[in-house]
Amino acid sequence: MRRALTDAGLVAGPFTGPGPRGINRRGDLTIGRLPLTTSLYMGFARKPRRPEC
């Protein structure tokens, strides 16, 4: 993914993996960021600034 973003001219930011974090008081499963990116991952990219003339 990082390579595809770079090939598209974007600067990749950090990647993280969402996953189960626990159960809240209502008994609902909570989802949060994990340091793993083995099966699911999310991240962002930005278009680099153009040099000013």
Side-chain angles (χ1 to χ4, degrees), residues 14-53:
F15 285 85
T16 186
R21 297 292 295 202
I23 297 177
N24 65 15
R25 292 181 184 171
R26 291 185 353 187
D28 298 328
L29 182 66
T30 59
I31 304 294
R33 292 190 294 178
L34 298 175
L36 307 172
T37 57
T38 54
S39 60
L40 295 172
Y41 53 88
M42 61 185 170
F44 72 91
R46 64 180 174 78
K47 191 172 184 178
R49 286 186 169 180
R50 292 176 36 189
E52 299 199 21
C53 299

